[in-house]
C-alpha cells in the first residue's frame, strides 16, 4: 500500500534527522555537570539507607554510592515494582546486570552521597 | 467463519485487520505486565511507555511478516491469492520498520532530558544495544534497497534472506536488554511463541526448504518460442501429478547446471493430457538465462499450487495486459459453451501477443466467449470505455501495475464495486 510506504519513508527521514541532530549537538556542546563525583559531604551507613525502604521514600545503594530514586520510580522503564521491592537495599548486582551505560547517566542525577560500610 | 470473512475482504482491509489484531495482541500483555496502571503524566514516562510498546509491537509485526514469508499452505489459503499474501507481507514489513524506528526515537526522549551527550550515548555508543542497533540498521538498508531500488531478482532474494536473519539480532536485543520481556517471565514466554513461529518460518523456507518443503518432480517435455521475448515451457509429471486449477501459480526450480538454480514463480497454463505449461517472459537476469538454457529433458521441482487469481468463469470480464495472459489462456480452455466471458488482451505490438489463434478458435467454438485483441501502439491503451461493462458483474485484471491501477479507477467511476474488481497489483517475484 502506498500510504504505508509513505508513512515508513516519513518515519525514516525523521529518524535520520533526529539521530544526526542529537549526535551533532552532543559533539559540539559541553555536557552538563553531573553529581557523579565520589567527593561529597555525606556518607550513609546501611542502617540509614534501610530506613528509606518505601515507594514514597526510596533509597538504593549502587556501587558504593547512595541514590534517592523516589521521584524516578514512576519513570522506570522496567516498571515500579522492580525498584520498590528493593528500596532501602544494596542493588548493585541487579542494576549492573540489567542496565545500559545510559541508565548510569540517569542514575547519576539521583545521587545523594556515598556509602559507608559498617 | 472468521477465516472465510477474512478471505472475502480486499487486500487493504486484510492488512488493516491484521495490523489491528497484532496491536491488541501486543497491548493486552503489555498492560498486564504493567499491572494495567501506566503513569504517563511526565513527558519522559509517556515517551518511554511509547518506546517500550513500539519495540514490542515491532517485534510482533516482524514475527508475523516472517510467518507470511514462510509461504505456509494453510496460511496462503486464507488469502484470495498468493500475490495478495505477499502484498500483505510487504505492507507488514514496511509497518515493522516504521514501528521499530519509533522504538529508539521515543526512548531517546528520557535521555535527552538529561543531556544530548546522554542521548547520543544511548542511540549509537552504548554497546548494550549493539544487537538492536545492527539489526535496525540492516533492516533499514534492506527495506530501502527493496523498495527504492529496482534490484535484480537474485539480489532481491538475498536481501530478503538477510533481513529475515537479522530478526535474530532483534530477538537477542529484546531478550537481553532491560526490557519488559527481560523483567516479565509471562511476557518473555508470550513473545517467544511469536519469535519461534517467525524465525521457524524463515528456517523452514530459506535454510531447510530444500529438505522440508514438499515438491513434485516434473520434466521439461518441450520448449516453444512464442515470440522474441516469450517462450512456453511444457512440463510432464515424472511421478504423481500436481492437482491444480486454472489461475494457480507454482514455484519452479530447474535441476540442471546450465539453468539458474533458484526457485521462481510462474502462472500455470492448463493443457490437455498430463502436465501443464508455463509462459516465461524475458524480464530480468533469471528469465533471460532460463530462456537461453532451458531444454527438453531437464528435471524440474515444482512446489504448489498456490491460488494466483480467482477465476470463476461465467459472468466475468477478463483484462490481460502483456505477460498477464497465462491464467486466462488456461481457464478459457476449460470454459463451458454457455459461460459468459469476455477477454480483452492488450499488447503494445501485435508480435507480442501470444496464443491469439487459440483464443480466436475458442471464440468461434464457445457461444458465450468473446475475445478482443487491442494493440496499444495503434489503438491506444485499453480503458473502461473499451470494455463491455453491461451485464458483467466481475472484472479480473492481470497485467502491469499502472494499467491495473488506471482501469480499476475508471471502472469505479463507472459504478463498478471494488469487491467486484480483482486486480493483481504487484509482481510476484
Amino acid at each position: 500500500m502506498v500510504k504505508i510506504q509513505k508513512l515508513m519513508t516519513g518515519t525514516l527521514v525523521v529518524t535520520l534527522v533526529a539521530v544526526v541532530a542529537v549526535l551533532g549537538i552532543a559533539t559540539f556542546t559541553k555536557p552538563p555537570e553531573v553529581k557523579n563525583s565520589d567527593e561529597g559531604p555525606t556518607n550513609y551507613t546501611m542502617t540509614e539507607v534501610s530506613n528509606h525502604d518505601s515507594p514514597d521514600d526510596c533509597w538504593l545503594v549502587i556501587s558504593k554510592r547512595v541514590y534517592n530514586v523516589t521521584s524516578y520510580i514512576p519513570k522506570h522503564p522496567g516498571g515500579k515494582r522492580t525498584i520498590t521491592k528493593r528500596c532501602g537495599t544494596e542493588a548493585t548486582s541487579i542494576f549492573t546486570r540489567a542496565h545500559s551505560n545510559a541508565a548510569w547517566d540517569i542514575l547519576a542525577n539521583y545521587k545523594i552521597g556515598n556509602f559507608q560500610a559498617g | 467463519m472468521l477465516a472465510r470473512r477474512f478471505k472475502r475482504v480486499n487486500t487493504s482491509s486484510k492488512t488493516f485487520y491484521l495490523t489491528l489484531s497484532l496491536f491488541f495482541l501486543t497491548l493486552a500483555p503489555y498492560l498486564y505486565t504493567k499491572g494495567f496502571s501506566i503513569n504517563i503524566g511526565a513527558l519522559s514516562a509517556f515517551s518511554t511507555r511509547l518506546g517500550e510498546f513500539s519495540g514490542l509491537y515491532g517485534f510482533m509485526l516482524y514475527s508475523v511478516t516472517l510467518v507470511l514469508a514462510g509461504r505456509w499452505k494453510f496460511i496462503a489459503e486464507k488469502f484470495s491469492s498468493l500475490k495478495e499474501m505477499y502484498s500483505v507481507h510487504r505492507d507488514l514489513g514496511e509497518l515493522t520498520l516504521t514501528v521499530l524506528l519509533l522504538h529508539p526515537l521515543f526512548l531517546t526522549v528520557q535521555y535527552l532530558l538529561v543531556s544530548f551527550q546522554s542521548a547520543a550515548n544511548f542511540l549509537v555508543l552504548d554497546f548494550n544495544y549493539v544487537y538492536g542497533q545492527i539489526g535496525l540498521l540492516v533492516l533499514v538498508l534492506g527495506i530501502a534497497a527493496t523498495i527504492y531500488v529496482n534490484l535484480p531478482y537474485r539480489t532481491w532474494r538475498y536481501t530478503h534472506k538477510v533481513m529475515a536473519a537479522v530478526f535474530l539480532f532483534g530477538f537477542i536485543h529484546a531478550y537481553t536488554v532491560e526490557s519488559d520481556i527481560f523483567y516479565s517471565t509471562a511476557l518473555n514466554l508470550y513473545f517467544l511463541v511469536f519469535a519461534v513461529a517467525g524465525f521457524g518460518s524463515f528456517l523452514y523456507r530459506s535454510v531447510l526448504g530444500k529438505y522440508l518443503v514438499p515438491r513434485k518432480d516434473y520434466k521439461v517435455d518441450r520448449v516453444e518460442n512464442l515470440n522474441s521475448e516469450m517462450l512456453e515451457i511444457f512440463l510432464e509429471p515424472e511421478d504423481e501429478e500436481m492437482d491444480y486449477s486454472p489461475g494457480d501459480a507454482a514455484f519452479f526450480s530447474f535441476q540442471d547446471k546450465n539453468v539458474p538454480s533458484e526457485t521462481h514463480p510462474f502462472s500455470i497454463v492448463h493443457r490437455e493430457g498430463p502436465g501443464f505449461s508455463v509462459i516465461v517472459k524475458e524480464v530480468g537476469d533469471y528469465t533471460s538465462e532460463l530462456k537461453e538454457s532451458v531444454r527438453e529433458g531437464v528435471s524440474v521441482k515444482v512446489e504448489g499450487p498456490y491460488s494466483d487469481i480467482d477465476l470463476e468463469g461465467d459472468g466475468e470480464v477478463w483484462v490481460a495486459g502483456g505477460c498477464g495472459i497465462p491464467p486466462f489462456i488456461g481457464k478459457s480452455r476449460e470454459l463451458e459453451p454457455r459461460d459468459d466471458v469476455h477477454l480483452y488482451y492488450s499488447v503494445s505490438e501485435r508480435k507480442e501477443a501470444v496464443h491469439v489463434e487459440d483464443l480466436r478458435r475458442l471464440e468461434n467454438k464457445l457461444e458465450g466467449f468473446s475475445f478482443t485483441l487491442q494493440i496499444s501502439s495503434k489503438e491506444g491503451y485499453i480503458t473502461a470505455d473499451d470494455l463491455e461493462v453491461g451485464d458483467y458483474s466481475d472484472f479480473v485484471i492481470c497485467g502491469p501495475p499502472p494499467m491495473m491501477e488506471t482501469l480499476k479507477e475508471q471502472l469505479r467511476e463507472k459504478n463498478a464495486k471494488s469487491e467486484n474488481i480483482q486486480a493483481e497489483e504487484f509482481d510476484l517475484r
Side-chain angles (χ1 to χ4, degrees):
Chain A
M1 246 191 303
V2 180
K3 280 178 191 167
I4 296 178
Q5 203 169 309
K6 281 184 179 166
L7 181 71
M8 185 193 73
T9 308
T11 314
L12 193 56
V13 171
V14 168
T15 307
L16 285 175
V17 170
V19 171
V20 170
V22 167
L23 294 181
I25 296 171
T27 307
F28 296 109
T29 58
K30 203 178 154 200
E33 285 197 9
V34 288
K35 302 175 280 179
N36 58 358
S37 158
D38 286 339
E39 292 170 16
T42 321
N43 286 335
Y44 298 101
T45 62
M46 200 62 227
T47 314
E48 286 171 292
V49 171
S50 62
N51 287 331
H52 304 271
D53 60 351
S54 73
D56 299 326
D57 180 19
C58 181
W59 289 15
L60 296 174
V61 177
I62 296 166
S63 291
K64 296 182 181 172
R65 291 167 194 157
V66 180
Y67 300 90
N68 179 352
V69 295
T70 314
S71 62
Y72 184 69
I73 290 172
K75 304 175 195 169
H76 186 230
K80 294 178 194 175
R81 238 179 73 75
T82 49
I83 295 185
T84 54
K85 68 183 180 187
R86 294 187 173 87
C87 291
T89 68
E90 216 291 339
T92 306
S93 169
I94 180 68
F95 189 90
T96 311
R97 190 158 57 90
H99 290 91
S100 61
N101 296 344
W104 285 97
D105 282 352
I106 291 177
L107 185 68
N109 289 279
Y110 297 89
K111 188 188 167 195
I112 53 171
N114 297 322
F115 177 66
Q116 189 182 356
Chain B
M1 173 79 178
L2 206 64
R4 268 209 304 274
R5 191 175 280 186
F6 181 76
K7 189 169 183 171
R8 277 206 299 269
V9 298
N10 65 26
T11 313
S12 304
S13 303
K14 282 189 176 85
T15 302
F16 176 74
Y17 290 138
L18 262 178
T19 308
L20 196 67
S21 308
L22 295 175
F23 180 86
F24 286 111
L25 280 172
T26 309
L27 186 66
Y30 175 70
L31 289 178
Y32 170 77
T33 309
K34 298 284 183 193
F36 294 97
S37 115
I38 296 185
N39 180 350
I40 52 170
L43 173 66
S44 66
F46 182 57
S47 62
T48 303
R49 299 291 95 82
L50 288 175
E52 291 163 356
F53 180 75
S54 54
L56 293 173
Y57 186 36
F59 188 85
M60 180 75 96
L61 285 167
Y62 205 159
S63 306
V64 175
T65 304
L66 290 181
V67 169
L68 291 183
R71 214 191 299 148
W72 299 94
K73 210 138 195 234
F74 73 97
I75 295 175
E77 283 164 2
K78 308 289 181 287
F79 293 83
S80 60
S81 70
L82 191 62
K83 284 180 185 173
E84 186 183 56
M85 187 179 80
Y86 276 126
S87 183
V88 173
H89 157 81
R90 190 180 64 173
D91 289 343
L92 287 190
E94 290 171 2
L95 270 173
T96 299
L97 180 61
T98 308
V99 172
L100 286 179
L101 284 170
L102 295 175
H103 172 57
L105 274 189
F106 282 128
L107 288 179
T108 306
V109 173
Q110 61 178 319
Y111 300 104
L112 269 178
L113 295 173
V114 177
S115 70
F116 280 104
Q117 285 73 19
S118 176
N121 187 24
F122 167 72
L123 278 174
V124 291
L125 302 172
D126 199 328
F127 189 72
N128 290 283
Y129 303 131
V130 71
Y131 288 105
Q133 288 157 345
I134 292 175
L136 194 53
L137 186 65
V138 174
L139 202 59
V140 166
L141 295 175
I143 291 188
T146 308
I147 291 171
Y148 305 120
V149 183
N150 191 14
L151 293 172
Y153 180 67
R154 263 173 221 146
T155 319
W156 177 85
R157 273 172 62 96
Y158 179 72
T159 53
H160 260 67
K161 283 187 180 182
V162 171
M163 282 193 286
V166 294
F167 176 78
L168 203 57
F169 281 66
F171 177 82
I172 295 171
H173 170 74
Y175 277 77
T176 54
V177 299
E178 66 227 82
S179 65
D180 292 283
I181 289 176
F182 180 89
Y183 285 113
S184 161
T185 310
L187 208 63
N188 184 313
L189 294 174
Y190 180 78
F191 277 92
L192 192 61
V193 172
F194 288 90
V196 167
F199 202 69
S201 292
F202 163 66
L203 293 177
Y204 166 76
R205 170 60 53 192
S206 298
V207 182
L208 303 169
K210 201 173 170 183
Y211 312 103
L212 297 180
V213 176
R215 293 185 171 102
K216 293 232 174 349
D217 293 315
Y218 277 75
K219 193 172 75 181
V220 175
D221 181 16
R222 68 192 156 95
V223 180
E224 216 169 87
N225 281 314
L226 299 174
N227 57 35
S228 61
E229 285 188 322
M230 292 166 91
L231 77 160
E232 187 162 4
I233 304 169
F234 293 82
L235 301 168
E236 60 177 17
E238 290 205 286
D239 191 9
E240 193 189 342
E241 174 141 39
M242 189 172 67
D243 186 18
Y244 68 92
S245 306
D248 283 351
F251 286 77
F252 299 82
S253 170
F254 291 84
Q255 310 291 303
D256 186 280
K257 62 178 172 28
N258 297 315
V259 184
S261 62
E262 66 241 33
T263 306
H264 202 99
F266 293 110
S267 290
I268 294 170
V269 179
H270 166 75
R271 71 163 176 169
E272 296 297 327
F276 51 82
S277 68
V278 291
I279 294 178
V280 178
K281 187 179 182 187
E282 199 177 334
V283 287
D285 296 350
Y286 174 81
T287 44
S288 298
E289 287 173 35
L290 182 64
K291 189 168 175 290
E292 291 302 314
S293 52
V294 69
R295 55 187 162 69
E296 193 184 321
V298 170
S299 295
V300 189
K301 296 269 183 201
V302 182
E303 180 208 335
Y306 294 95
S307 174
D308 190 15
I309 55 175
D310 196 10
L311 293 170
E312 290 291 330
D314 197 19
E316 286 180 335
V317 174
W318 300 342
V319 186
C323 56
I325 191 71
F328 300 121
I329 295 172
K331 183 65 181 178
S332 61
R333 288 171 183 165
E334 286 209 335
L335 289 175
E336 297 292 328
R338 287 188 172 277
D339 282 347
D340 198 4
V341 171
H342 197 127
L343 168 61
Y344 294 88
Y345 182 17
S346 173
V347 286
S348 308
E349 303 286 343
R350 173 64 182 82
K351 63 182 180 188
E352 288 174 19
V354 298
H355 283 284
V356 173
E357 297 316 314
D358 274 357
L359 293 165
R360 293 259 184 253
R361 255 198 304 277
L362 284 169
E363 187 184 23
N364 292 331
K365 188 176 140 193
L366 303 170
E367 193 184 324
F369 179 66
S370 59
F371 169 62
T372 305
L373 177 67
Q374 181 149 343
I375 314 294
S376 61
S377 59
K378 289 182 184 163
E379 302 161 78
Y381 289 118
I382 199 160
T383 68
D385 289 333
D386 298 319
L387 308 181
E388 281 178 32
V389 176
D391 297 332
Y392 295 106
S393 55
D394 292 306
F395 300 87
V396 186
I397 312 166
C398 191
M403 178 194 108
M404 288 189 289
E405 203 47 56
T406 311
L407 265 180
K408 265 166 72 177
E409 201 59 50
Q410 291 170 351
L411 284 168
R412 278 197 216 105
E413 282 167 13
K414 282 182 163 276
N415 297 326
K417 289 181 183 164
S418 290
E419 60 261 35
N420 293 333
I421 307 170
Q422 197 190 148
E424 299 308 332
E425 288 189 43
F426 96 105
D427 180 27
L428 191 65
R429 299 183 73 165

